DNA sequence: GACCTGCTGCGGGTTG
């Protein structure tokens, strides 16, 4: 064990006391590299393979904690993950006498104050808390973090390709700027399988040249079973629930039904079945609208129930690395919208060494079965959909401009431009563009010129001085639900929320007794029967590659032995519907069904490209209706020839800027997909729409190659 | 019909 000998004595003592027989492969590799170089590293290996230790064992051996100042900063996307990792990191640090401090919105203020008095050790933090410190206590940032040696970013894939990621990238760049010597970064992830993503990840860390990837590809056996039960969106079919109950009653299970309302439906109904039969009572629901303390209890129960079985119905809240102990089986109801998500969910089961993961996939609708199958095939091919990085994040720049001015006591226009354009998050935005945006922000009183200096203007103060400023995403308004002082969760106001209406929440049934519109509170009492709650929102986007795989499955003749008989029949049926099309190239050819009055065009492409095609058709006044699940357009009053002409002209969007200008005028709320985009000049809002809401580039590339294939009757 | 994530400072009250 050569890597072992490279570790410092206290760390070796830790490993001996833990009675580890050996180091994991990812740990062996990372110890040698991290200790001997100052490169950035991205550690990729599956869930529960010891990644956290792979980063911390060598870092703790290498860093000199005797020098004052915080030496290691651990950044996590979730508070829950910080609380979880705190115990792990702290137990390691006991051997070194290095303090570990949690710094997030719910962390102890006293501990934060102690850290400010004597900055040292390791800090666990969220990106938003770093932002808040930059804005409110810029001197503390320097005081605490100017001597950082290592930054560890957990679940790094969850940041990549998102606004929150660009935000973090900017914060890292700003931290690096105030640092006396350059700190190194170690990113951790289980969800990177495509080597194309390495480039994006390296750029994300701001220094591609000195960033290396260490990856453990040891495969993990997975048993997958697909089952089909016809159902409706309104309610899950009873036979499915019964089958699900029988399959899971003697296990520790996580169920992912994709939507919060359905999560509640599954939890309540399985619990009802279990009560009737006299099975265990440990049925829970876990999603963003379940009260935080209830969620923590559920996590605690799962982690500490070695002997008892349980069943947690959940959304992506249990997708990331929160430790909930051993899970025997993962159930997915209807298709995941991404392969990345499927990987994370599969990773939650069989965490014990050498134990296989079990995956049970239910479908209630033919196209959902097809999508589920497509995701599974791509997963087996070790493929993950590419992330789309916004190279010109003007909206995040607005936010970071405000933050930078607020955190500088004195800053001139050229200094601000210089600081922003040197930030790696905005490297592709030109100096002219930056200046234009600053001038605009000055014109709308977000900034004010005082001689040569820029300060926050009157309207700027209004947005900067609220707690909503620190994040890049908007939160919807919810009503807090409680029963006799016990908090249960929260619900959005909808026609469903009326007195005496009964709803599911937190795996229980409630009757609404009082709604207080002033304080936004709902009082409930326990009830016997009810309905699933309705939440509003957009479905997550589906990638082009998944849709293409769906078409590939449709035209192939391959048999899949992991499908049950009904599911096999459904695939045969879908295939027969498409048997009249001659498709020999799934990259270019797309089927078009001509039924005299109207035509159906199966685009088999991403949600964003579909949204763009919809925009083009709308702008040409061609009546169309998009079925997002089938990725199909029903088009009326348009001949096939006309449609072909429209879609075969990649120059179709020459006047797209005018179309988007009109759109912004008639539906200004369309820009709300971006929290900060609404403060940009219209020309930049258009650029943002093209890049982030629609996918103009992708759409043109798709249409350029598109060959429409009609059915032969 | 449709996921998720985070959050300051200050002043006043209560509790140990």
């Amino acid at each position: 064990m050569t890597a072992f000998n490279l570790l410092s004595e206290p760390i070796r003592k830790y490993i001996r006391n833990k009675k580890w027989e050996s180091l994991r492969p990812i740990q062996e590799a990372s110890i040698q590299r991290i200790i001997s170089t100052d490169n950035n590293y991205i550690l990729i290996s599956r869930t529960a393979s010891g990644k956290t230790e792979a980063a911390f064992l060598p870092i703790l051996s290498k860093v000199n904690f005797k020098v004052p100042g915080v030496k290691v900063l651990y950044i996590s996307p979730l508070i829950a993950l910080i609380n979880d990792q705190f115990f792990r990191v702290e137990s390691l640090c006991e051997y070194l006498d290095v303090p570990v401090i949690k710094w997030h919105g719910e962390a102890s203020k006293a501990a934060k104050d102690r850290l400010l008095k004597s900055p040292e050790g390791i800090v666990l933090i969220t990106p938003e808390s770093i932002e808040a410190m930059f804005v409110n206590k810029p001197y503390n940032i320097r005081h605490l973090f100017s001597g950082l040696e290592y930054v560890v970013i957990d679940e790094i894939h969850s940041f990549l390709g998102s606004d929150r990621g660009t935000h973090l990238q900017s914060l890292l760049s700003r931290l690096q700027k105030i640092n006396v010597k350059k700190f190194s970064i170690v990113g951790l992830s289980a969800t990177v399988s495509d080597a194309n993503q390495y480039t994006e990840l390296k750029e994300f860390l701001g220094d591609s040249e000195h960033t290396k990837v260490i990856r453990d590809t040891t495969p993990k056996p997975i048993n997958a079973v697909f089952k089909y039960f016809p159902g409706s969106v309104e309610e899950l079919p009873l036979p499915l629930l019964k089958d699900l109950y029988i399959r899971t009653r003697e296990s520790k299970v996580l169920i992912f039904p994709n939507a919060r309302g359905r999560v509640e439906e599954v939890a309540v109904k399985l619990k009802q079945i279990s009560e009737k039969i006299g099975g265990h009572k440990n049925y829970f629901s876990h999603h963003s609208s379940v009260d935080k303390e209830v969620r923590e209890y559920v996590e605690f129960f799962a982690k500490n129930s070695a002997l008892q079985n349980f069943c947690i119905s959940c959304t992506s809240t249990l997708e990331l690395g929160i430790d909930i102990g051993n899970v025997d089986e993962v159930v997915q109801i209807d298709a995941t919208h991404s392969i990345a998500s499927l990987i994370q969910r599969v990773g939650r089961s069989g965490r014990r060494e050498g134990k296989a993961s079990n995956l049970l996939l239910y479908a209630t609708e033919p196209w959902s079965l097809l999508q589920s199958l497509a995701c599974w095939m791509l997963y087996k091919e070790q493929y993950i959909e590419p992330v789309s990085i916004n190279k010109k994040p003007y909206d995040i720049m607005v936010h970071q401009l405000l933050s930078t001015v607020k955190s500088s006591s004195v800053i001139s226009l050229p200094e601000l431009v210089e600081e922003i354009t040197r930030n790696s998050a905005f490297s592709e935005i030109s100096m002219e563009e930056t200046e234009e945006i600053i001038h605009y922000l000055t014109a709308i009183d977000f900034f004010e010129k005082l001689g040569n200096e820029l300060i926050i203007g009157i309207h700027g103060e209004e947005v900067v001085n609220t707690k909503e400023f620190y994040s890049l995403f908007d939160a919807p308004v919810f009503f807090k639900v409680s029963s006799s002082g016990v908090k249960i969760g929260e619900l959005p106001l909808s026609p469903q929320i009326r007195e005496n209406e009964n709803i599911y929440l937190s795996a229980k049934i409630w009757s609404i007794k009082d709604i207080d519109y002033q304080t936004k509170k709902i009082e409930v009492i326990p009830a016997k029967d009810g309905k699933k709650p309705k939440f509003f929102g957009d479905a997550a986007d589906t990638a082009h590659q998944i849709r293409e795989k769906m078409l590939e499955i449709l035209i192939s003749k391959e048999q899949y032995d992991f499908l049950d008989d009904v599911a096999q029949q459904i695939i045969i049926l879908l295939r027969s519907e498409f048997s009249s099309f001659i498709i020999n190239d799934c990259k270019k050819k797309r089927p078009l069904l001509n039924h005299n009055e109207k035509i159906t065009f199966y685009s088999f492409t991403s949600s964003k490209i579909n949204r763009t095609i919809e925009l083009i058709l709308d702008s040409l006044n061609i009546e169309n209706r998009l079925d997002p699940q089938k990725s199909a357009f029903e088009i009326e009053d348009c001949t096939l020839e006309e449609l072909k002409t429209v879609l075969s002209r990649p120059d179709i969007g020459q006047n797209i800027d005018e179309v988007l200008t009109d759109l912004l005028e008639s539906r200004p709320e369309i820009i709300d997909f971006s929290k900060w985009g609404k403060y940009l000049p219209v020309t930049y809002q258009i650029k943002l729409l093209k890049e982030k809401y629609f996918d103009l580039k992708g759409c043109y590339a798709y249409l350029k190659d598109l060959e429409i294939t009609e059915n032969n009757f």
Side-chain angles (χ1 to χ4, degrees):
Chain A
M1 195 149 74
T2 47
F4 181 81
N5 297 322
L6 294 172
L7 297 169
S8 67
E9 178 45 33
I11 297 294
R12 280 186 281 181
K13 191 174 171 201
Y14 169 85
I15 293 174
R16 281 194 298 266
N17 287 359
K18 281 263 173 186
K19 299 203 165 50
W20 291 2
E21 283 169 13
S22 63
L23 290 165
R24 301 278 174 81
I26 190 87
Q27 295 166 345
E28 288 269 350
S30 72
I31 290 168
Q32 305 207 352
R33 315 256 175 91
I34 290 175
I35 288 188
S36 63
T37 75
D38 286 330
N39 287 331
N40 295 333
Y41 286 100
I42 295 160
L43 309 183
I44 307 169
S45 84
R46 59 177 175 72
T47 324
S49 58
K51 278 193 298 291
T52 311
E53 288 76 9
F56 277 100
L57 296 176
I59 289 174
L60 294 178
S61 295
K62 185 180 177 182
V63 169
N64 178 10
F65 287 96
K66 299 280 181 281
V67 189
V70 174
K71 295 290 137 205
V72 181
L73 190 62
Y74 162 95
I75 304 175
S76 149
L78 302 176
I79 288 178
L81 196 55
I82 288 182
N83 296 341
D84 223 56
Q85 298 283 40
F86 175 75
F87 294 106
R88 276 219 241 174
V89 178
E90 207 189 29
S91 80
L92 254 165
C93 287
E94 275 171 14
Y95 290 76
L96 297 162
D97 199 25
V98 168
V100 184
I101 296 97
K102 290 187 270 188
W103 190 297
H104 56 65
E106 291 166 16
S108 142
K109 179 114 185 357
K112 290 179 186 173
D113 288 342
R114 274 199 301 279
L115 180 74
L116 287 172
K117 280 204 187 110
S118 64
E120 56 176 339
I122 300 173
V123 169
L124 317 184
I125 201 165
T126 58
E128 286 76 12
S129 281
I130 302 176
E131 176 64 55
M133 213 189 285
F134 263 117
V135 171
N136 296 310
K137 300 272 177 66
Y139 40 89
N140 280 348
I141 284 269
R142 244 171 235 279
H143 181 53
L144 294 179
F145 302 139
S146 59
L148 283 178
E149 290 190 32
Y150 269 93
V151 169
V152 177
I153 307 174
D154 210 349
E155 305 280 6
I156 193 167
H157 66 275
S158 75
F159 290 110
L160 203 62
S162 76
D163 287 353
R164 209 173 172 210
T166 310
H167 184 202
L168 176 57
Q169 194 184 353
S170 169
L171 293 171
L172 286 172
S173 201
R174 290 168 72 184
L175 280 175
Q176 199 69 273
K177 193 171 169 259
I178 56 132
N179 228 58
V180 283
K181 76 175 240 253
K182 204 164 158 266
F183 57 75
S184 305
I185 310 175
V186 178
L188 312 178
S189 180
T191 315
V192 182
S193 75
D194 199 282
N196 291 327
Q197 279 186 19
Y198 294 178
T199 320
E200 315 279 14
L201 276 167
K202 288 177 180 178
E203 279 173 17
F204 182 76
L205 298 192
D207 185 358
S208 301
E209 208 185 317
H210 298 105
T211 303
K212 313 285 173 203
V213 174
I214 304 178
R215 187 173 164 198
D216 175 9
T217 50
T218 315
K220 175 130 210 174
I222 301 161
N223 309 313
V225 178
F226 280 71
K227 291 192 157 204
Y228 188 89
F229 290 89
S232 69
V233 280
E234 269 312 301
E235 251 188 319
L236 280 168
L238 192 58
L240 186 155
L241 288 163
K242 283 183 177 164
D243 189 81
L244 176 57
Y245 176 75
I246 292 163
R247 289 279 314 222
T248 58
R249 64 179 165 186
E250 278 163 20
S251 320
K252 300 183 172 73
V253 194
L254 285 187
I255 303 178
F256 291 94
N258 288 348
R260 284 169 287 180
R262 258 205 173 164
V263 162
E264 293 296 345
E265 187 190 358
V266 168
V268 167
K269 291 184 173 172
L270 287 184
K271 188 151 97 179
Q272 283 175 333
I273 297 175
S274 194
E275 260 167 30
K276 263 187 215 156
I277 301 180
H280 73 72
K281 295 184 171 65
N282 312 322
Y283 287 83
F284 306 106
S285 74
H286 193 288
H287 54 79
S288 64
S289 297
V290 171
D291 179 74
K292 205 170 181 94
E293 280 175 33
V294 178
R295 278 153 73 182
E296 279 166 12
Y297 171 75
V298 174
E299 291 158 27
F300 178 84
F301 186 96
K303 204 192 290 190
N304 296 288
S305 68
L307 300 172
Q308 287 194 74
N309 290 321
F310 61 83
C311 176
I312 306 173
S313 178
C314 57
T315 59
S316 44
T317 47
L318 285 185
E319 218 174 75
L320 293 182
I322 306 165
D323 181 15
I324 52 158
N326 289 307
V327 170
D328 305 314
E329 192 152 23
V330 169
V331 179
Q332 174 67 44
I333 300 179
D334 284 325
T336 53
H337 30 249
S338 73
I339 306 149
S341 194
L342 182 64
I343 293 172
Q344 289 287 136
R345 292 174 185 189
V346 170
R348 302 318 311 240
S349 88
R351 286 167 70 99
R352 260 174 295 197
E353 188 83 348
K355 240 193 133 190
S357 290
N358 288 315
L359 178 65
L360 179 57
L361 295 121
Y362 285 99
T364 61
E365 209 276 329
W367 286 83
S368 169
L369 172 68
L370 184 60
Q371 185 173 323
S372 209
L373 194 52
C375 287
W376 176 246
M377 306 287 284
L378 288 164
Y379 171 88
K380 297 290 274 182
E381 289 167 23
Q382 303 225 351
Y383 183 85
I384 300 189
E385 55 271 278
V387 287
S388 62
I389 309 275
N390 187 359
K391 297 281 184 197
K392 297 199 169 200
Y394 300 112
D395 49 348
I396 321 295
M397 193 171 88
V398 166
H399 181 256
Q400 289 298 285
L401 279 166
L402 283 164
S403 169
T404 305
V405 172
K406 176 78 181 178
S407 69
S408 325
S409 43
V410 181
I411 194 163
S412 67
L413 177 65
E415 283 165 348
L416 179 61
V417 174
E418 157 97 10
E419 177 144 2
I420 286 288
T421 46
R422 291 185 79 168
N423 187 314
S424 78
F426 311 113
S427 57
E428 310 247 332
I429 297 178
S430 74
M431 205 175 257
E432 291 71 31
E433 288 177 310
T434 309
E435 280 173 1
E436 195 183 339
I437 289 170
I438 296 173
H439 285 309
Y440 180 82
L441 291 173
T442 312
I444 61 168
D445 289 328
F446 269 46
F447 292 140
E448 195 184 320
K449 268 198 104 171
L450 263 188
N452 279 330
E453 311 303 328
L454 271 180
I455 56 164
I456 300 286
I458 297 171
H459 290 317
E461 289 287 351
E462 285 166 15
V463 292
V464 174
N465 293 326
T466 63
K467 61 179 179 7
E468 284 78 28
F469 180 74
Y470 313 110
S471 70
L472 268 291
F473 45 88
D474 266 319
V477 178
F478 282 121
F479 278 46
K480 297 251 180 269
V481 182
S482 55
S483 183
S484 316
V486 179
K487 290 187 283 178
I488 298 157
E490 51 183 34
L491 291 169
L493 203 56
S494 73
Q496 187 192 22
I497 304 302
R498 288 193 309 259
E499 281 176 25
N500 296 319
E501 191 79 13
N502 290 7
I503 40 136
Y504 305 154
L505 189 61
S506 192
K508 296 190 176 97
I509 310 172
W510 308 96
S511 181
I512 298 174
K513 283 298 136 203
D514 187 59
I515 306 162
D516 189 333
Y517 294 91
Q518 283 279 304
T519 58
K520 299 196 172 65
K521 281 182 182 158
I522 300 174
E523 181 67 22
V524 296
I525 56 166
K528 288 269 176 250
D529 198 16
K531 287 198 188 87
K532 65 176 182 189
K534 286 194 170 77
F535 292 93
F536 309 99
D538 293 321
D541 289 340
T542 302
H544 176 81
Q545 289 78 1
I546 294 176
R547 294 272 158 75
E548 197 168 280
K549 194 72 185 177
M550 288 163 72
L551 179 60
E552 221 178 288
I553 294 170
L554 281 182
I555 60 162
S556 114
K557 291 191 170 54
E558 200 181 333
Q559 299 283 318
Y560 313 104
D561 57 4
F562 44 86
L563 267 60
D564 78 346
D565 290 348
V566 192
Q568 304 251 19
Q569 289 306 313
I570 296 290
I571 294 296
I572 290 170
L573 211 70
L574 274 174
R575 279 177 177 169
S576 73
E577 279 177 36
F578 283 82
S579 60
S580 60
F581 298 104
I582 298 162
I583 293 166
N584 41 25
D585 182 355
C586 288
K587 294 242 174 290
K588 294 179 174 174
K589 300 226 166 154
R590 291 293 180 269
L592 185 140
L593 203 61
N594 198 347
H595 18 218
N596 300 325
E597 293 297 299
K598 58 183 181 191
I599 46 187
T600 308
F601 168 55
Y602 291 91
S603 62
F604 286 101
T605 186
S606 72
S607 315
K608 273 190 183 171
I609 293 181
N610 277 339
R611 208 179 284 148
T612 315
I613 294 174
E614 200 179 13
L615 175 79
I616 292 171
L617 293 177
D618 284 348
S619 73
L620 297 167
N621 288 320
I622 297 172
E623 204 171 309
N624 70 93
R625 205 178 58 82
L626 169 66
D627 183 331
Q629 191 169 35
K630 294 182 184 170
S631 180
F633 290 87
E634 253 183 35
I635 299 163
E636 276 174 75
D637 299 326
C638 175
T639 66
L640 176 59
E641 286 316 308
E642 278 172 338
L643 184 73
K644 275 192 172 174
T645 319
V646 168
L647 294 183
S648 63
R649 265 177 28 211
D651 62 335
I652 195 81
Q654 267 187 350
N655 66 344
I656 202 77
D657 282 17
E658 284 167 41
V659 172
L660 291 172
T661 310
D662 292 347
L663 188 68
L664 277 167
E665 225 159 81
S666 60
R667 286 173 53 202
E669 73 279 2
I670 194 148
I671 199 69
D672 289 350
F673 71 89
S674 160
K675 182 167 168 183
W676 300 95
K678 50 181 172 287
Y679 305 122
L680 281 167
V682 174
T683 46
Y684 288 89
Q685 290 191 11
I686 290 170
K687 289 178 199 225
L688 215 55
L689 277 173
K690 282 187 188 171
E691 172 91 23
K692 277 169 81 174
Y693 187 73
F694 299 106
D695 178 5
L696 265 294
K697 244 188 247 158
C699 186
Y700 294 156
Y702 167 82
L703 292 179
K704 197 160 164 274
D705 286 342
L706 176 69
E707 289 172 27
I708 290 177
T709 309
E710 282 175 75
N711 49 322
N712 305 315
F713 285 135

